[in-house]
Amino acid sequence: MTQEAIAELKALLGPRGWLEGEDAATYTQDIRGTYKGDALLVVRPTSTEEVSGVVKICNRHGIVIVPQGGNTGLCGGAIPRGNRPSIVLSVARMNKIISVDPLRYSVTAEAGCIVQTIHDAAAEVDRAFALDWGARGSAVIGGAISTNAGGINVLRFGNTRDQVLGLEVVLPDGRIWNGLRALRKDSSGYDMKHLFIGAEGTLGIVTKAVMRLHPRPLRDQTMYASVGDIERLMELFALARSVGDSNLTAFELIPGHMVDRAIAKYPVLTRPMETRAEWYVLVRFSGGEDITEKLETFFGEAAERGLLTDAALAQNMAQEKNLWDLRDEIPPLKLMTGKMLKWDTSVPIDRIIPFLAECEKVACAIHPPSKVIAFGHVGDGNLHMSIWPEGTIGEPVFDKLCKDIVSAIDNLIWQYGGSICAEHGVGVENYDRVQGQKSPLEFEMMAKIKQVFDPQNLFNPGKMFNPAYGDVKQAAE
Ligand SMILES: Cc1cc2nc3c(=O)[nH]c(=O)nc-3n(C[C@H](O)[C@H](O)[C@H](O)COP(=O)(O)OP(=O)(O)OC[C@H]3O[C@@H](n4cnc5c(N)ncnc54)[C@H](O)[C@@H]3O)c2cc1C
C-alpha cells in the first residue's frame, strides 16, 4: 500500500516535486537539530491543485501529512513524529505573491511566500506589512498563520490572527475551501478562517492567504535606554504609550548582561552607548517628522521620574539597524552554552516584574544557582524566558531537577493567568505540558472539531494537543 502511494505521489508531482533519502534530510529535522523524524517522502507541490491531489492520495492510503513552511517554528511542529507512515508536505515552491492591492490595503500570497518578500512587495506600493520577527528571511506566511506568530509589532498591530483577511485551505479529504476574501467586515456566521489560524496544520493545509496591509510610516526611530528602576517598568511603558499613542510600535526589554555577550560575540554590532545598566528597553516610534520630538519628550519625562537613566537615539538607518540586529542576537541559545530551559510565555503585562522575581525564587528553591534570563516583547506581556540551572551535577539528577523546574514554572505561569505558549505554537515541545493550561471542556471542544475535519487523524498527529485531553467523562466532572 505504502509503495503504491509513493509511486502515485511521484507520478502526480513529477521529478522536481519530491525528495527522499539524503536529499530530504533538512526537511526531517528542525533547524536546531532538536527534533528528527522519518518521512517516506518529502513532497513539494507547486499549486493548490497539486496539494489537493497529494492529500487525496494520502487519504486513500492512510498516510500522515506533516505540513512544513520555512521550518523555523522551534517547537518541532513541522517534523514527523511517531511510527505511522508519514510524508512532509513542504509549501516552499508555492512562494509567489499573487497580487498587491494598495487601495484595499491587502496582499494575496501563496503559503510558501517568505515573510520578508511580503514586506518588500508592500513597500513597493508604499504600504507596510505588520508581521516581523528574527526569522523574517526564512519563515513563510503559511507557517506564520498556522502558528499565529507574533513578533515585534504585536503591540501596535496585533498578531498574525489580526492580519489575516482570507484563506484558501485544502481539507483532510482533499477538497479545497476558497475563503480568499478581503473583507474587513463580515458577520455572516462562523468565521472559518480562524479555525485554521494557529491550528499548526492539524485541520487543513493553508495554500493561499489574503493579508492586511497598513499605511507606511514615513520613518521609524528607536531609542535604546537604560532602565532606572525595573520594578517600575510598567510605569515606563504607560508613559511611552501616553506620549507615543499610536506612534509607539515596539517596546522591548533586554538584559544588560546579554547585550555584553552579544557585543562580545558579534563584532559587527556596536554598543549603542557607554552607560551600563542591568536592563535596557528598546522603544520604537513610527510616524512622521514629529516622532523624534516625541521620543525626546518621552525620555525627558521618564528621566525626571527616575524611570530611565540614559538613552541613545538612532540617528540614521545604520544605527537603527544596529539596535534591532542587537535585539535579534539576544536569544540565550545563540550566546550561551549548557542546558537551558526555555519558555515563550505571556502573562498580563502589569504582572511581568513580580512574575520574574517569583520565577527566580521558584527555580532557586529547586536548584539554588538557577538564573532566569528574560527578554522580549514586554509591551504585549510576552517574554522569551530561559532558566539556566548552573552548576555541575550528575546527568540523571540534573534531568530530574530540570523536569521539576519546568513543572513548577508552568504552574506559576498559570497562577499568574498566563500561557506557556505565547508564540511559536505548541508543536511537540509543549504537547504534554499544555494539558494543564485549559479545561477538559476546552480540549473536548477542540477534539470534536478535529474529529469533524480529520476523522482519520492524518493531519499532523501528535502535535498541538492530544485529543484524549478532551475526554468527555473528564469534562463532565
Ligand atoms: C530567530 C527566530 C526568531 C523568532 N521570533 C519569533 C517571534 O518573535 N515571534 C513568534 O511568534 N515567532 C518567532 N519565531 C518562530 C516563528 O513562530 C516561526 O518563524 C513561524 O511562526 C513559523 O514559520 P515557518 O514558515 O518556519 O513554519 P514551520 O516551522 O515550517 O511550521 C510551523 C507549524 O505550522 C505548520 N505549517 C506550516 N506551514 C503550513 C501550512 N501551509 N498549512 C498548515 N500548516 C502549516 C507546521 O506543520 C508546523 O506545525 C522565531 C523563529 C526564529 C528562528
Side-chain angles (χ1 to χ4, degrees):
M1 280 290 265
T2 305
Q3 289 311 315
E4 219 176 281
I6 293 175
E8 281 182 46
L9 289 167
K10 287 181 175 176
L12 172 76
L13 299 170
R16 292 197 60 222
W18 53 271
L19 298 167
E20 61 186 348
E22 276 299 292
D23 296 336
T26 53
Y27 295 82
T28 51
Q29 63 173 328
D30 77 326
I31 47 173
R32 292 181 305 189
T34 312
Y35 298 99
K36 293 185 181 152
D38 292 318
L40 301 168
L41 208 60
V42 171
V43 298
R44 302 167 76 230
T46 53
S47 67
T48 303
E49 290 66 31
E50 281 188 356
V51 173
S52 163
V54 167
V55 172
K56 283 179 180 161
I57 293 170
C58 290
N59 187 294
R60 250 188 295 115
H61 293 277
I63 289 174
V64 160
I65 300 179
V66 181
Q68 190 175 96
N71 197 8
T72 66
L74 302 177
C75 50
I79 304 300
R81 182 185 193 196
N83 300 325
R84 293 170 69 189
S86 309
I87 62 162
V88 170
L89 188 152
S90 164
V91 292
R93 292 171 79 207
M94 298 171 63
N95 56 9
K96 288 188 285 300
I97 300 259
I98 295 164
S99 63
V100 186
D101 193 330
L103 294 181
R104 285 185 185 173
Y105 282 77
S106 67
V107 55
T108 306
E110 290 183 316
C113 191
I114 289 178
V115 169
Q116 181 65 55
T117 307
I118 303 183
H119 280 276
D120 297 343
E124 268 177 37
V125 295
D126 199 28
R127 298 290 180 265
F129 181 52
L131 302 182
D132 194 19
W133 58 88
R136 63 186 74 78
S138 39
V140 303
I141 195 63
I145 290 167
S146 302
T147 54
N148 189 26
I152 55 177
N153 290 328
V154 173
L155 174 61
R156 172 72 182 87
F157 297 109
N159 52 21
T160 300
R161 189 177 295 283
D162 301 300
Q163 308 309 316
V164 179
L165 291 173
L167 288 182
E168 179 189 78
V169 180
V170 173
L171 302 177
D173 61 8
R175 284 181 298 168
I176 301 166
W177 173 56
N178 183 341
L180 286 174
R181 306 175 186 117
L183 303 176
R184 314 267 152 166
K185 294 187 82 173
D186 177 11
S187 49
S188 60
Y190 298 142
D191 195 342
M192 299 305 289
K193 66 176 180 286
H194 285 295
L195 274 184
F196 300 100
I197 301 170
E200 301 187 31
T202 59
L203 297 180
I205 297 168
V206 175
T207 44
K208 294 190 186 100
V210 187
M211 304 298 293
R212 226 177 249 272
L213 295 180
H214 301 271
R216 193 161 171 236
L218 206 55
R219 62 200 190 97
D220 302 310
Q221 193 169 23
T222 304
M223 176 181 279
Y224 172 87
S226 44
V227 175
D229 180 357
I230 191 67
E231 300 288 333
R232 294 169 68 201
L233 183 67
M234 282 307 121
E235 213 182 305
L236 182 66
F237 176 55
L239 181 62
R241 288 202 100 157
S242 75
V243 177
D245 197 8
S246 63
N247 295 125
L248 175 66
T249 50
F251 189 95
E252 301 270 318
L253 181 69
I254 306 180
H257 66 100
M258 297 306 279
V259 170
D260 296 341
R261 282 175 194 268
I263 286 171
K265 180 161 178 190
Y266 301 106
V268 59
L269 297 172
T270 49
R271 189 178 286 284
M273 65 185 183
E274 277 317 309
T275 303
R276 304 296 167 99
E278 210 175 320
W279 294 97
Y280 299 93
V281 283
L282 273 184
V283 184
R284 188 183 63 200
F285 283 10
S286 307
E289 288 306 330
D290 60 341
I291 59 172
T292 306
E293 206 180 306
K294 284 190 178 178
L295 277 164
E296 285 166 356
T297 304
F298 161 65
F299 176 73
E301 285 186 30
E304 206 174 286
R305 284 159 57 177
L307 300 170
L308 291 177
T309 57
D310 200 358
L313 196 54
Q315 299 295 345
N316 51 43
M317 298 274 277
Q319 288 182 3
E320 186 73 20
K321 182 171 179 322
N322 178 59
L323 291 180
W324 287 100
D325 284 351
L326 180 60
R327 160 65 183 79
D328 282 350
E329 300 305 351
I330 291 297
L333 284 177
K334 293 185 172 194
L335 300 175
M336 296 163 84
T337 51
K339 175 97 179 173
M340 216 130 24
L341 311 169
K342 192 174 160 298
W343 286 259
D344 287 295
T345 180
S346 58
V347 291
I349 55 169
D350 56 315
R351 307 195 75 191
I352 287 177
I353 299 305
F355 165 73
L356 279 179
E358 190 79 16
C359 271
E360 191 128 316
K361 266 197 227 152
V362 167
C364 285
I366 298 170
H367 179 59
S370 293
K371 191 166 180 54
V372 174
I373 302 164
F375 71 99
H377 323 297
V378 166
D380 25 83
N382 176 200
L383 286 171
H384 299 300
M385 187 177 80
S386 306
I387 295 189
W388 197 32
E390 289 177 77
T392 48
I393 35 181
E395 270 300 311
V397 184
F398 187 75
D399 283 351
K400 163 89 172 65
L401 278 177
C402 290
K403 245 178 135 178
D404 291 349
I405 294 176
V406 168
S407 151
I409 298 294
D410 283 355
N411 278 312
L412 187 68
I413 292 170
W414 297 323
Q415 273 167 33
Y416 272 78
S419 169
I420 60 167
C421 321
E423 294 193 321
H424 304 195
V426 178
V428 178
E429 187 150 309
N430 300 315
Y431 182 79
D432 292 320
R433 286 161 51 196
V434 81
Q435 184 176 9
Q437 186 157 316
K438 298 176 197 241
S439 67
L441 179 59
E442 202 161 341
F443 282 117
E444 183 197 325
M445 291 191 283
M446 288 167 68
K448 283 186 171 158
I449 290 168
K450 173 74 176 169
Q451 176 66 21
V452 166
F453 278 86
D454 184 18
Q456 291 190 75
N457 196 15
L458 291 179
F459 270 30
N460 221 1
K463 313 290 173 56
M464 205 182 84
F465 84 111
N466 183 343
Y469 296 160
D471 184 86
V472 183
K473 273 189 249 113
Q474 281 185 47
E477 279 164 13

